[in-house]
Amino acid sequence: MAPSYTPMMEQYREIKKQHPNELLFFRLGDFYEMFFEDAEVASRELEITLTSREAGLNVRVPMCGVPYHAVDNYIARLINKGFKIAICEQVEDPKQAKGIVRREVIKIVTPGTVLSETLLTDKGNNFLAVLYEEDATLSLAAADISTGECLWEVFTGAYRLATVCDYLFRLMPSELIITSRIEELSNLNDFIAQRIPHCVQTTIRVDDLNILAQLLRQHFGADELPASHSAEMASGYLLYYLHQTVKNDLSHINRLSQFNANEHLIIDASTLRNLEITRNMHDGGKKGTLLSVLDFTKTAMGGRLLKKWLEAPLLNPLHIDNRQSAIGELLDKPSIRHELQEALGEIYDFERIVTRIEIGSANARDLISLKASLSVLPQIKRCTQVTETKLLSGISQTLQTHTDIVTLIENAIVDNPPLSVREGAMIKPGYDLELDELRTMARNSKEWVQNLETQEREKTGIRSLKVGYNKVFGYYIEVTHANSGSVPPTYIRKQTLANAERYITPELKEFETKILGAQEKIVNLEYHLFTQIKDRVKAHIKEIQQTARSVAELDSIYSLAEAAGRYGYVKPQINTREIVIKDGRHPVVERLLLQEMFVPNDTVLNHKDNEVLIITGPNMAGKSTYMRQVALLVLMAQIGSFIPAREASICPVDRIFTRVGASDDLATGQSTFMVEMNEVAQIIKHATTKSLIILDEIGRGTSTFDGMSIARAVVEHIKDRIKAMTLFATHYHELTELAENSPVVKNYSVAVKERGNEVVFLRRIIPGGADKSYGIHVAQLAGLPKKIIERAHELLSELEEQHGVNRLDSPAPIAAATGTQSLFQSTLAEDLLALDIMTLTPLEALNLLYKLQNQAKQEVGQL
């Protein structure tokens, strides 16, 4: 016999049928309750008590619940575990309901549609991405509903999925929607599992695709719609899913933009990861990244934009120059920079605040934060009005101050409103006449109660009589049992206590009705006025969003200027031919060195005589740091940033490729060598003559002769066919022979100084190749036992005799010691010649002499 459920439980079961893939939070009074399997799952995941509830005749079902006022914390924990939550609320006044109160799901919270501050990263986006494929065209659409950003892109060709994966790695979506058959779905799933494991995948289908096109045209202007049908479908699916989950008009998503790859330096997933540009390889966090060094932004909007700049640098030299000029102007005007720092520090994340206002989840504190943010805009506008460069003066001209909104909120909302908008106490006196009258009535009620108490004491002669109130029984007159004989017949008994009786009178009952009605009216009127204020702000959302974008751009420019000022960065010249860097430094590593000076290095790359640089030398000597350094300096130059160098002239590159380090891809069963070969294959497929390639130790994951053959073949292919500017580090010294037969290949090595059995790595990159790897010396530095080191030397001598190796006692860097010393001396000479001795104080001269001596000692290996 089927269970007979109560009407409330039948209502729950009917709603749950419509949301089988979500945990249903069912509002009952002050709690959200879950039943059946949902209760068991939530109890386990949230570690809360699982109970049961009578759900009908002889029927009990599992149940657990969370208080409504703390629901965001519980939702956050479930979202982080990949769950989706359907929020079911009462949508009918219980006083007017006939039978059970009507309930509906008002929103579905998914990883890609969250708006709670507890689930969002201040300086990071939270993207929802959609993929749609048809006719060998793969389209991506993505939106961050917390900021209103919405973009699309189309990918074609045999390698379209690999390019999509690169975009996804940059976006790091928390949710991915699959809307059609994806040809290489298994490869996509492997990539998501390995590189974006937190991303939740959902598959949806719409039978009538005309619905998607209609939805898209209703939401965006005709000039913003994608020309590609595939991209149109992806964008339509994106809007469809958002409407199904957020259940709002989404008017804050009012711009649909194409991410045009032709305007940006492309950074694939491997390079973004290997160079640790915005996320480190340890835990995916910000620490130890280029972003961590450059981020001095004061606003969340600026922090998000700076991250986008680093992940998508510019290609157009004019655009790069515009940013450089703006950064340079703020660098040269520290007083303006300081004033901007203070003003920007007062700004809240109002880009997300206006989203909450539009969606309907904002409270009065959000309006106060919005007012505080907009209030400093006149100061920012004054700062930028005295600037001269194109970007800064453009921001000044377009920046709106929104004084009408500031005045509205200032006049309407109290400075420290409560968290809830349903309890009143948030509208200022004087804003609304009716509200003021109701409040006056409520205030006078205390005086009226006091007068009534005095009056009744005199009339009855009962000195202990008092008039009180509680939420259960309302207003009452309390008389002790000892004085019950003096109670007038007009008193009506209401409640008996242990030592007293409580009464009501017609006069007190009339007063109670009036006062309680006034309190309810006050709360309802305040909420109504608050809604009106929000609607007036909503009418200006588009303009406020534009202001947020202007503030973000200004904040990002300020951040790069601040970094340049603090770290002594210089402006790189932009050319179209070559990369020339003098005394370049690694921007991240130099910040981590506390006890020693970072050794700078020069770089020359061009298509004439320095196209491919073969770099040899021992492990731990600095080859990888040097190559990463070159890539990062080029990238910094292409976002318009100043760079750590003495001087530089850099041509923009279309792509940066890196194959650095070794890592197994165990999730997909790939070895280190297979990962290495996959990454090299991608480089060979996509690199152009305008690219920058960084390759570190290709071929080490297989046998010596196999690895050497692969490494040489790769270099020859790049040299002969791709002709990209390339840094190639290797332990295969035989590759240095390539420089003998090609004018574009040059050999470089890391300077090393030997003193007996001791080796000192000088960290300088010098012309010429190394003739040995110093592997045993590195092992000794790592702490291997002395006996192992001695035995290794013996075995090495035997192997060299067997294979007829003629090993020089001194490595090439030391054989070229004269050249090395000359290089160092010329650096010191330049520093000395640049000094204005006549302006130095005695203390400055002493400090400088000490610094130069330490530099000389380090360069000759005495430190």
Side-chain angles (χ1 to χ4, degrees):
M1 180 178 176
S4 176
Y5 293 107
T6 62
M8 187 277 290
M9 190 55 63
E10 286 289 1
Q11 183 187 51
Y12 171 88
R13 295 177 70 243
E14 188 62 33
I15 295 173
K16 177 61 185 174
K17 283 181 184 177
Q18 301 169 26
H19 299 278
N21 300 318
E22 295 88 36
L23 297 177
L24 181 60
F25 276 41
F26 193 76
R27 181 70 177 270
L28 287 176
D30 289 342
F31 280 79
Y32 287 104
E33 304 288 4
M34 285 148 279
F35 302 100
F36 300 101
E37 185 179 351
D38 281 6
E40 295 172 349
V41 171
S43 172
R44 180 180 67 250
E45 298 295 338
L46 297 174
E47 298 179 339
I48 57 179
T49 302
L50 179 67
T51 62
S52 63
R53 176 190 178 108
E54 289 189 4
L57 186 62
N58 299 321
V59 178
R60 295 191 71 86
V61 298
M63 181 187 80
C64 72
V66 297
Y68 83 96
H69 58 80
V71 70
D72 284 348
N73 294 327
Y74 293 102
I75 289 177
R77 291 167 61 185
L78 291 170
I79 289 293
N80 285 332
K81 293 174 179 284
F83 291 98
K84 302 177 181 180
I85 293 93
I87 306 295
C88 182
E89 296 279 7
Q90 295 178 177
V91 293
E92 184 180 20
D93 188 343
K95 297 177 182 177
Q96 300 177 1
K98 295 181 180 179
I100 190 168
V101 177
R102 187 161 55 90
R103 292 179 175 85
E104 292 178 0
V105 170
I106 62 164
K107 63 180 175 181
I108 299 172
V109 185
T110 73
T113 61
V114 296
L115 288 171
S116 172
E117 292 179 85
T118 58
L119 283 165
L120 297 173
T121 305
D122 286 346
K123 292 188 175 183
N125 284 100
N126 184 56
F127 279 107
L128 166 74
V130 171
L131 284 180
Y132 181 87
E133 187 170 26
E134 67 174 10
D135 300 330
T137 298
L138 187 55
S139 291
L140 169 71
D144 180 348
I145 69 164
S146 72
T147 63
E149 297 167 74
C150 191
L151 53 91
W152 63 272
E153 190 53 276
V154 174
F155 308 91
T156 58
Y159 309 119
R160 59 186 178 275
L161 181 66
T163 311
V164 165
C165 289
D166 293 337
Y167 273 71
L168 289 174
F169 190 72
R170 183 169 64 248
L171 293 175
M172 277 287 158
S174 55
E175 188 172 0
L176 176 63
I177 310 299
I178 305 297
T179 60
S180 66
R181 179 185 173 275
I182 305 297
E183 186 175 325
E184 299 179 77
L185 183 60
S186 61
N187 292 335
L188 173 66
N189 290 336
D190 289 342
F191 177 84
I192 296 295
Q194 181 66 16
R195 294 287 180 247
I196 322 177
H198 65 276
C199 182
V200 174
Q201 290 190 54
T202 303
T203 300
I204 61 173
R205 297 283 192 275
V206 173
D207 294 332
D208 185 1
L209 297 183
N210 291 325
I211 295 175
L212 305 180
Q214 182 180 0
L215 186 62
L216 196 64
R217 282 163 174 73
Q218 289 173 349
H219 203 84
F220 296 111
D223 58 336
E224 294 180 289
L225 300 180
S228 161
H229 180 264
S230 173
E232 186 177 3
M233 291 298 98
S235 303
Y237 263 114
L238 177 65
L239 282 179
Y240 175 82
Y241 185 77
L242 289 175
H243 279 286
Q244 294 297 310
T245 53
V246 182
K247 298 184 182 294
N248 208 292
D249 63 2
L250 303 172
S251 60
H252 70 293
I253 300 178
N254 47 53
R255 292 203 319 169
L256 182 60
S257 306
Q258 180 182 12
F259 185 92
N260 193 336
N262 295 327
E263 297 178 0
H264 299 278
L265 160 62
I266 297 175
I267 306 172
D268 62 21
S270 295
T271 300
L272 189 61
R273 181 171 178 266
N274 291 335
L275 292 181
E276 299 184 293
I277 297 168
T278 57
R279 294 183 292 272
N280 65 46
M281 295 179 68
H282 172 61
D283 59 6
K286 180 180 174 183
K287 185 177 180 181
T289 64
L290 181 60
L291 176 61
S292 71
V293 171
L294 298 179
D295 188 5
F296 289 96
T297 57
K298 309 302 291 184
T299 71
M301 293 99 72
R304 291 193 291 269
L305 181 61
L306 180 61
K307 180 174 180 288
K308 291 187 182 75
W309 283 4
L310 284 168
E311 293 175 341
L314 300 169
L315 281 181
N316 190 315
L318 179 61
H319 297 163
I320 296 172
D321 182 69
N322 286 339
R323 276 196 201 157
Q324 284 185 333
S325 298
I327 293 165
E329 183 170 16
L330 290 186
L331 182 62
D332 293 339
K333 297 177 179 178
S335 60
I336 293 180
R337 199 165 79 242
H338 180 70
E339 192 171 353
L340 283 175
Q341 176 187 5
E342 292 185 341
L344 291 167
E346 298 295 319
I347 292 180
Y348 293 84
D349 192 353
F350 66 87
E351 186 174 41
R352 281 177 169 164
I353 289 174
V354 294
T355 293
R356 293 198 292 272
I357 290 173
E358 196 279 329
I359 294 294
S361 62
N363 58 26
R365 294 184 184 180
D366 286 322
L367 291 184
I368 293 299
S369 297
L370 177 61
K371 180 191 75 172
S373 301
L374 302 183
S375 295
V376 300
L377 295 180
Q379 180 184 355
I380 291 176
K381 195 172 182 71
R382 285 193 299 272
C383 286
T384 55
Q385 279 175 337
V386 298
T387 59
E388 301 171 0
T389 51
K390 182 177 180 180
L391 282 184
L392 294 178
S393 59
I395 290 172
S396 177
Q397 292 171 11
T398 59
L399 187 68
Q400 298 186 49
T401 55
H402 307 286
T403 52
D404 52 340
I405 294 175
V406 172
T407 301
L408 169 66
I409 300 173
E410 173 64 29
N411 292 338
I413 306 297
V414 299
D415 293 336
N416 189 26
L419 189 61
S420 172
V421 297
R422 295 286 190 176
E423 298 175 2
M426 57 185 171
I427 304 297
K428 275 186 175 179
Y431 180 74
D432 183 82
L433 179 60
E434 181 183 358
L435 180 61
D436 289 345
E437 290 176 349
L438 289 171
R439 284 173 169 170
T440 299
M441 184 185 302
R443 281 196 304 271
N444 292 343
S445 67
K446 295 181 180 179
E447 183 180 349
W448 189 92
V449 168
Q450 186 62 46
N451 291 338
L452 177 65
E453 187 176 87
T454 302
Q455 172 188 317
E456 292 300 312
R457 284 179 178 178
E458 292 176 354
K459 185 167 67 174
T460 62
I462 304 172
R463 293 299 163 192
S464 60
L465 179 149
K466 63 180 180 181
V467 179
Y469 171 81
N470 68 34
K471 290 184 179 180
V472 178
F473 293 101
Y475 285 92
Y476 56 82
I477 299 172
E478 185 173 296
V479 178
T480 62
H481 290 316
N483 293 299
S484 59
S486 301
V487 171
T490 54
Y491 281 22
I492 302 169
R493 182 179 284 107
K494 192 171 186 179
Q495 183 185 15
T496 300
L497 304 178
N499 61 348
E501 294 284 348
R502 288 177 176 174
Y503 302 89
I504 190 74
T505 66
E507 182 183 17
L508 188 57
K509 188 64 179 175
E510 181 182 352
F511 168 80
E512 178 183 272
T513 302
K514 181 179 179 180
I515 291 302
L516 294 183
Q519 293 288 359
E520 185 177 353
K521 285 181 181 178
I522 287 172
V523 171
N524 291 337
L525 181 56
E526 286 209 45
Y527 182 74
H528 174 69
L529 293 171
F530 174 73
T531 302
Q532 285 185 332
I533 296 164
K534 282 200 307 179
D535 289 343
R536 290 175 65 179
V537 175
K538 281 173 65 175
H540 298 276
I541 277 184
K542 199 165 186 176
E543 302 97 284
I544 298 174
Q545 286 178 319
Q546 179 56 51
T547 298
R549 288 190 284 268
S550 296
V551 169
E553 184 176 24
L554 179 61
D555 194 16
S556 297
I557 292 170
Y558 155 79
S559 179
L560 294 176
E562 185 69 15
R566 292 196 186 196
Y567 302 147
Y569 291 173
V570 301
K571 176 183 175 180
Q573 299 302 311
I574 302 300
N575 67 73
T576 59
R577 305 173 306 281
E578 59 185 354
I579 296 171
V580 179
I581 302 169
K582 294 185 178 180
D583 286 343
R585 313 186 304 274
H586 193 294
V588 180
V589 174
E590 75 164 347
R591 303 264 57 85
L592 301 177
L593 294 178
L594 301 177
Q595 304 298 326
E596 57 182 302
M597 182 183 67
F598 186 89
V599 178
N601 274 296
D602 296 347
T603 303
V604 176
L605 283 165
N606 56 45
H607 295 294
K608 181 181 178 183
D609 54 11
N610 268 50
E611 192 171 73
V612 178
L613 308 187
I614 306 294
I615 305 172
T616 50
N619 285 324
M620 296 178 59
K623 299 193 306 295
S624 295
T625 298
Y626 169 72
M627 293 197 301
R628 285 184 173 97
Q629 167 185 310
V630 174
L632 290 177
L633 296 189
V634 171
L635 184 148
M636 288 174 66
Q638 288 191 231
I639 69 167
S641 174
F642 288 23
I643 67 172
R646 181 159 54 87
E647 61 179 274
S649 181
I650 293 173
C651 65
V653 298
D654 63 353
R655 301 186 69 141
I656 295 178
F657 295 97
T658 63
R659 166 58 219 166
V660 180
S663 60
D664 288 318
D665 200 342
L666 299 178
T668 57
Q670 295 185 5
S671 67
T672 299
F673 183 65
M674 178 59 76
V675 172
E676 177 184 307
M677 290 299 100
N678 283 337
E679 293 185 3
V680 172
Q682 291 301 310
I683 294 171
I684 298 302
K685 291 172 185 174
H686 298 291
T688 74
T689 186
K690 295 181 180 180
S691 301
L692 173 62
I693 300 176
I694 307 296
L695 293 172
D696 190 7
E697 305 296 355
I698 297 300
R700 284 199 301 175
T702 185
S703 69
T704 300
F705 292 122
D706 277 0
M708 188 187 306
S709 301
I710 291 171
R712 180 156 186 158
V714 168
V715 175
E716 289 178 351
H717 183 88
I718 293 173
K719 171 178 67 72
D720 297 334
R721 299 193 179 187
I722 299 176
K723 301 183 183 301
M725 291 184 286
T726 303
L727 297 174
F728 193 101
T730 183
H731 273 77
Y732 300 129
H733 301 151
E734 294 79 0
L735 296 186
T736 58
E737 298 173 2
L738 289 167
E740 298 175 5
N741 302 313
S742 173
V744 299
V745 179
K746 288 292 183 293
N747 289 324
Y748 286 83
S749 58
V750 184
V752 178
K753 184 175 181 63
E754 287 185 290
R755 291 180 298 192
N757 289 328
E758 293 184 7
V759 173
V760 177
F761 302 141
L762 301 182
R763 313 291 183 189
R764 295 289 295 200
I765 304 298
I766 62 173
D771 72 339
K772 60 181 190 178
S773 297
Y774 297 94
I776 297 177
H777 294 285
V778 173
Q780 185 176 4
L781 290 174
L784 282 184
K786 183 178 180 181
K787 289 187 177 180
I788 294 179
I789 299 299
E790 292 173 349
R791 178 57 177 158
H793 276 297
E794 294 173 2
L795 293 171
L796 178 62
S797 298
E798 293 176 7
L799 289 170
E800 289 172 341
E801 289 177 6
Q802 291 174 10
H803 292 279
V805 177
N806 182 18
R807 181 169 64 93
L808 297 177
D809 292 334
S810 299
I814 296 305
T818 304
T820 304
Q821 292 171 2
S822 172
L823 179 62
F824 293 149
Q825 289 167 357
S826 66
T827 303
L828 289 172
E830 289 177 6
D831 291 342
L832 287 169
L833 290 172
L835 294 177
D836 185 355
I837 297 176
M838 301 306 294
T839 64
L840 291 176
T841 67
L843 181 59
E844 288 173 339
L846 184 62
N847 288 335
L848 185 59
L849 183 60
Y850 177 77
K851 176 183 176 182
L852 291 173
Q853 185 184 57
N854 279 344
Q855 181 179 344
K857 287 180 178 179
Q858 185 173 23
E859 291 178 346
V860 299
Q862 293 182 12
L863 281 181

